[in-house]
């Protein structure tokens, strides 16, 4: 029962990825993992119960989306804030219409943030078993009680597993960071050569 | 000498944000090749006026002509007037050359022509070696010059500069003032420069338009703005000022007699610099600049004589700034040439030529 609850969110996370990330994630699946970050999961569970959504895959998807969207928004917004409101105006003044501004100015500018946000969400989804666990199919008992029981039941292995997860996610995070850096550099150079060639 | 078709013509531009009239019926004709400065305090509508000209703000009413063509309703990306922004707004993911070439690229210019134009402008701003750098790798002054080059590259009908030197420190600012002026002379372009720094406006411009609360209060040469302020606001905003409240006592021929406190000053009527000429009995303000005063009693007939107590002096090398308190507790600023042999706290006499002042109707 636990393995089902654990497998589902990972499958979900993998489904949201593609290419290189998929391979990485599949490797990470082999590590059974838990992180005792439960509060948001419990409240989400209550919320989902209230709005009458069945627990299961749909609830997991919902929970993860709810969990990730704010991060994406924050990361993109942070980047947008550094953009300065005059940059799009300057492009327009130089003769760029809305489409050109989006393609030539805004998207290239946001690309590191978009990529970063995407990877960050993968990380988040992967790490966030607790939320998935709650949303995935426990009986609708008293969530607090559940929480206590859960922690009790897994106590012996918990510390070791969390450490493993920590190492794995940190490694993944560092890799993602480097990947994003390389990508943003590459997108700059490709813009350069694009401008020169076509 | 000036072209009969002005570079920019604004007719009755109005713009309100809610109840706030940000631009209040502004009309302005800017001849080609002129360096004109919009000078005014923060929030008076300078940026809004510039943004209206390039189409980034939409005026509620009025007409905008560029090179004689009505562009009031043209899309912002189709207007032939380019702008330099205070934060430069360079595109960080493009090289300097790409930044400068962007406007030409948008005009559909050929690659080789764009490259040539970029090189040309990099030479104009005297930074020929930075073409392949990214804006992050430039100093503030360099960014500023690249922003200028980017706006000049598509050969605009006029260049609008919205406080382009605001982000620079004083030394660099002064260098850039000279540089900007030189580039304007070399290119012969029409520059519309915006600043709230009156010294900057005075030192760079052929013409200064002083704005206050959405209106242009005076359009004149820097010398006239300083010597013949049309409003009290301008007298106060531009340069240091001593203001005297007075009443017109009599008019005879080309002279006015003013009563100022207990004194009577006979001044040339031609020194009324406000548009409205005051009648007898009307309240006026007399503007005397700190450097108009000379120290000591005057034997010249008709001079205005004042006396007071020296409260403070600041030695500046070639000048001394004095603070003088008159008998009726008015504090005067006096800008004198050293040496001053009067100690602080001592009595001091001042005089000023009767035509070395300005009279403005109202208070
Ligand atoms: N988009 C807007 N919505 C509402 N009010 C605005 C908007 N843009 C400007 N204003 C107001 O219009 C007035 C004039 O603004 P503007 O930016 O033109 O002033 P400014 O003369 O350029 O000032 P500064 O020297 O500070 O740049 C200000 O009071 C400002 O708050
Ligand atoms: Mg402004």
């Amino acid at each position: 029962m636990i393995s089902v609850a654990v497998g589902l969110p990972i499958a979900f996370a993998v489904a949201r990825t593609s290419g290189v990330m998929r391979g990485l994630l599949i490797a990470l699946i082999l590590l059974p993992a838990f992180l005792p970050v439960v509060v948001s999961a419990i409240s989400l569970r209550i919320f989902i119960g209230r709005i009458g959504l069945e627990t299961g895959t749909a609830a997991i998807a919902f929970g993860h989306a709810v969990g990730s969207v704010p991060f994406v928004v924050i990361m993109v917004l942070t980047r947008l804030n550094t953009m300065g409101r005059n940059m799009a105006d300057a492009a327009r003044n130089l003769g760029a219409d809305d489409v050109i501004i989006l393609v030539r100015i805004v998207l290239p500018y946001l690309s590191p943030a978009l990529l970063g946000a995407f990877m960050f969400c993968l990380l988040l989804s992967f790490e966030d078993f607790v939320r998935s666990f709650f949303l995935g199919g426990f009986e609708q008992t008293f969530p607090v009680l559940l929480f206590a029981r859960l922690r009790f039941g897994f106590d012996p292995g918990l510390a070791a597993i969390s450490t493993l997860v920590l190492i794995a996610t940190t490694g993944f995070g560092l890799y993602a960071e480097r990947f994003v850096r390389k990508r943003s550099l590459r997108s700059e150079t490709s813009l350069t050569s694009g401008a020169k060639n076509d | 000498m000036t072209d009969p078709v002005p570079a920019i013509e604004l007719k009755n531009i109005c713009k309100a944000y809610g109840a706030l009239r940000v631009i209040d019926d502004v009309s302005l004709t800017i001849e080609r090749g002129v360096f004109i400065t919009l000078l005014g305090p923060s929030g008076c509508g300078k940026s809004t006026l510039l943004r209206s000209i390039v189409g980034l703000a939409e005026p509620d009413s009025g007409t905008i002509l560029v090179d004689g063509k009505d562009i009031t309703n043209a899309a912002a990306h189709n207007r032939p007037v380019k702008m330099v922004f205070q934060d430069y707004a360079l595109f960080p993911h493009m090289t300097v050359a790409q930044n400068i070439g962007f406007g030409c690229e948008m005009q559909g210019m050929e690659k080789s022509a764009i490259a040539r134009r970029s090189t040309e402008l990099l030479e104009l701003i005297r930074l020929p070696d930075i073409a392949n750098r990214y804006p992050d790798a430039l100093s503030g002054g360099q960014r500023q010059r690249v922003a200028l080059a980017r706006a000049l590259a598509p050969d605009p009908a006029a260049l609008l500069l919205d406080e382009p030197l605001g982000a620079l420190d004083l030394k660099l600012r002064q260098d850039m003032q000279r540089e900007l002026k030189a580039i304007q002379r070399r290119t012969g372009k029409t520059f519309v420069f915006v600043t709230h720094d009156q010294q900057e406006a005075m030192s760079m411009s052929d013409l200064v338009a002083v704005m206050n609360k959405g209106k242009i209060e005076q359009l004149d040469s820097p010398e006239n703005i300083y010597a013949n302020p049309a409003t009290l606001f301008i007298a106060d905003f531009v340069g240091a000022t001593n203001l005297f409240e007075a009443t017109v006592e009599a008019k005879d021929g080309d002279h006015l007699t003013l009563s100022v406190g207990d004194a009577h000053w006979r001044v040339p009527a031609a020194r009324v610099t406000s548009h409205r000429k005051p009648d007898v009995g009307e309240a006026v303000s007399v503007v005397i600049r700190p450097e108009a005063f000379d120290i000591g009693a005057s034997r010249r007939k008709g001079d205005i004589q004042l006396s007071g107590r020296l409260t403070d002096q600041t030695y500046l090398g070639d000048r001394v700034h004095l603070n003088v308190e008159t008998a009726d507790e008015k504090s005067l600023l006096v800008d004198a040439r050293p040496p001053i042999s009067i100690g602080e706290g001592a009595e001091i006499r001042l005089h000023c030529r009767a035509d070395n002042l300005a009279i403005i109707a109202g208070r």
Side-chain angles (χ1 to χ4, degrees), chain A residues 86 89 93 104 192 195, chain B residues 51 82-83 93 98 105 111:
Chain A
N86 283 336
D89 285 346
N93 178 237
R104 291 288 308 277
T192 316
Chain B
R51 295 174 71 84
K82 303 302 168 204
M83 184 150 163
H93 56 284
Q98 289 167 350
E105 197 189 327
K111 286 275 170 277

Side-chain angles (χ1 to χ4, degrees), chain B residues 86-340:
Chain B
Q86 177 167 9
D87 60 0
Y88 317 139
L90 296 175
F91 310 131
H93 56 284
M94 296 186 195
T95 63
V96 165
Q98 289 167 350
N99 265 281
I100 295 176
F102 191 79
C104 297
E105 197 189 327
M106 292 299 113
Q107 290 179 345
M109 207 190 260
E110 235 177 88
K111 286 275 170 277
S112 57
I114 296 175
R116 244 180 290 127
R117 184 79 180 136
S118 290
T119 313
E120 209 175 292
L121 279 149
L122 282 168
E123 266 156 32
L124 180 73
I125 60 172
R126 297 190 300 161
L127 292 171
D129 303 323
I130 63 163
N132 294 315
R133 286 216 222 145
Y134 285 92
D136 282 351
L138 301 178
S139 73
Q142 288 174 329
R143 280 180 211 175
Q144 156 71 91
R145 280 188 270 178
V146 170
L148 182 71
R150 185 178 65 177
L152 278 171
D155 196 26
L159 196 65
L160 312 183
L161 306 103
D162 193 356
E163 305 203 34
L165 310 182
L168 304 177
D169 61 53
L170 187 65
K171 177 76 182 65
L172 198 54
R173 206 179 159 115
Q174 287 167 343
D175 290 346
M176 278 308 300
Q177 287 176 6
R178 238 166 284 135
E179 179 86 17
L180 255 182
K181 185 77 187 154
I183 287 175
Q184 192 264 335
R185 285 282 173 268
R186 235 174 300 154
T187 56
K189 285 272 166 230
T190 310
F191 274 38
V192 185
F193 185 88
V194 158
T195 183
H196 57 249
D197 179 331
Q198 45 111 0
Q199 244 164 351
E200 195 164 274
M202 301 307 249
S203 64
M204 298 176 75
S205 326
D206 301 319
L207 279 175
V208 177
V210 186
M211 278 187 78
N212 184 28
K213 293 182 187 156
K215 284 184 193 292
I216 293 182
E217 295 205 346
Q218 189 171 4
L219 172 66
D220 226 323
S221 66
E223 296 81 7
N224 273 334
I225 295 277
Y226 186 76
N228 305 318
T231 67
L232 217 48
F233 166 80
I234 295 171
D236 199 43
F237 188 69
V238 179
T241 303
N242 294 300
L243 271 184
F244 298 85
E245 296 184 350
T247 310
V248 180
E249 249 178 5
K251 260 183 178 174
D252 59 288
D254 50 6
H255 278 78
L256 299 177
T257 306
L258 309 177
S259 73
V260 187
D262 301 331
H264 304 275
W265 295 353
R266 201 172 123 83
V267 297
R271 291 310 303 147
V272 175
T273 54
S274 56
H275 297 304
R276 207 166 52 76
K277 308 300 169 196
D279 293 322
V280 173
E282 200 174 316
V284 296
S285 303
V286 180
V287 176
I288 302 181
R289 299 293 186 184
E291 67 279 3
F293 286 118
D294 284 315
I295 294 172
S298 168
R299 267 153 291 157
R300 193 168 42 222
K301 198 169 165 290
D303 273 9
I304 287 161
Q305 312 260 5
L306 289 161
S307 64
R309 199 169 49 83
L310 182 63
T311 55
D312 183 51
Q313 54 180 310
T314 312
Y315 181 66
L316 297 171
D318 57 334
R319 324 205 60 84
V320 189
H321 282 170
L322 308 179
N323 263 306
V324 175
E325 202 173 291
T326 60
D328 47 354
E329 286 181 351
K330 193 173 166 57
S331 183
L332 300 180
L333 297 171
V334 178
D335 189 354
R337 249 175 237 283
I340 306 292

Side-chain angles (χ1 to χ4, degrees), chain A residues 13-184:
Chain A
V14 173
R16 295 210 317 183
T17 63
S18 58
V20 188
M21 301 328 302
R22 185 187 291 256
L24 243 161
L25 263 177
I26 288 171
L28 288 169
I29 289 168
L30 299 176
L31 297 165
F34 262 113
L35 273 184
V37 188
V38 201
V39 182
S40 77
I42 294 171
S43 40
L44 251 174
R45 169 63 182 267
I46 294 169
F47 177 66
I48 279 174
R50 284 251 174 91
I51 63 171
L53 198 69
E54 295 265 323
T55 51
T57 315
I60 290 171
F62 176 77
H64 278 243
V66 166
S68 327
V69 163
F71 287 99
V72 177
V73 171
I74 284 172
M75 287 178 85
V76 170
L77 265 185
T78 310
R79 183 75 178 155
L80 262 180
N81 279 342
T82 65
M83 184 160 155
R85 72 183 185 108
N86 283 336
M87 214 152 80
D89 285 346
R92 191 180 306 280
N93 178 237
L94 289 166
D97 59 24
D98 290 335
V99 177
I100 296 175
I101 291 173
L102 184 72
V103 174
R104 291 288 308 277
I105 310 294
V106 179
L107 285 182
Y109 190 81
L110 288 183
S111 68
L114 286 173
L115 216 70
F118 174 65
M119 292 189 172
F120 187 71
C121 286
L122 291 187
L123 251 168
L124 210 70
S125 279
F126 170 67
E127 240 187 350
D128 203 2
F129 286 129
V130 181
R131 181 180 316 188
S132 315
F133 197 70
F134 276 97
L135 302 176
F138 253 71
E139 291 176 66
Q140 297 220 4
T141 46
F142 222 159
V144 182
L145 202 84
L146 233 158
F147 171 50
R149 222 205 271 162
L150 185 71
R151 277 188 66 175
F152 228 70
F154 280 86
D155 210 38
L158 191 66
I161 289 166
S162 327
T163 310
L164 268 178
V165 170
L166 212 71
I167 292 167
T169 51
T170 307
F172 177 66
L174 285 174
Y175 177 81
E177 159 82 8
R178 274 188 52 182
F179 185 71
V180 167
R181 279 238 194 98
K182 259 191 279 169
R183 263 299 291 272
S184 72

